[in-house]
Amino acid sequence: MSEIITDFADVEALMLAVLRAAMPYAPTVETYAGNLQDVAEGRFPLTKKPAVFVVFDAERFESVDGPQYLSTMTFVVVIVASSLREADESRTGEYGAYRMVRDVKNALINVRLADNLDRLKPEEVILLLSTRTDAAYQIGFSVTMDQTY
């Protein structure tokens, strides 16, 4: 872990790498790009589930001293599955949303992605959608680092 992170895009890329390694059963692990836009209309524009998306949410700054700031970045991980709980994951090869939420938490909570970052902290888990054919949750994370401007 000798990498030095300078902005949120680097953190997002590292989170995606950790999730790809931890969730090899998910064919889609990528940056969120409006993939759930049609949910309100009852359409999921996804072809490959289960899916995991990561998106930068916000950055807050706290002045420490002169040009020094404490930067806290928040990210959202969105998981999409075909069901909340797959009855027999080993037999069907399907993974339910509950399992995916647990796997995301296990993969990211307290992970230190780089030397100049604090450990990832969980924020909250929120149900986004639960229908007969799709289930989606968002899992929020934050991470803090020192910045000089």
Side-chain angles (χ1 to χ4, degrees):
M1 194 176 29
S2 61
E3 193 168 354
I4 300 297
I5 300 303
T6 59
D7 87 7
F8 61 86
D10 297 334
V11 176
E12 183 180 279
L14 289 171
M15 289 175 71
L16 285 166
V18 169
L19 291 169
R20 283 185 187 109
M23 303 172 77
Y25 59 83
T28 304
V29 181
E30 58 193 39
T31 297
Y32 179 79
N35 308 71
L36 305 181
Q37 193 169 327
D38 294 331
V39 169
E41 297 162 15
R43 294 189 326 257
F44 251 101
L46 299 174
T47 55
K48 295 182 181 178
K49 289 184 276 184
V52 182
F53 302 100
V54 178
V55 64
F56 169 69
D57 181 46
E59 186 171 16
R60 290 169 196 78
F61 299 93
E62 180 182 333
S63 179
V64 176
D65 183 30
Q68 295 289 103
Y69 289 86
L70 194 60
S71 164
T72 300
M73 297 171 275
T74 55
F75 295 84
V76 174
V77 177
V78 176
I79 62 95
V80 182
S82 296
S83 64
L84 289 173
R85 182 186 319 211
E86 182 55 43
D88 188 359
E89 292 169 350
S90 61
R91 184 179 58 78
T92 64
E94 296 277 330
Y95 288 83
Y98 292 167
R99 160 80 182 267
M100 293 179 70
V101 167
R102 184 175 62 246
D103 288 350
V104 167
K105 292 189 312 183
N106 287 339
L108 294 177
I109 291 175
N110 289 323
V111 168
R112 191 166 182 184
L113 297 170
D115 291 338
N116 65 322
L117 295 177
D118 288 345
R119 296 177 189 276
L120 283 167
K121 297 174 194 148
E123 296 293 329
E124 61 186 349
V125 177
I126 299 172
L127 175 67
L128 296 176
L129 177 75
S130 179
T131 68
R132 284 176 284 163
T133 59
D134 299 293
Y137 278 88
Q138 76 175 38
I139 305 108
F141 289 90
S142 67
V143 65
T144 302
M145 68 184 222
D146 292 323
Q147 292 270 32
T148 302
Y149 291 96

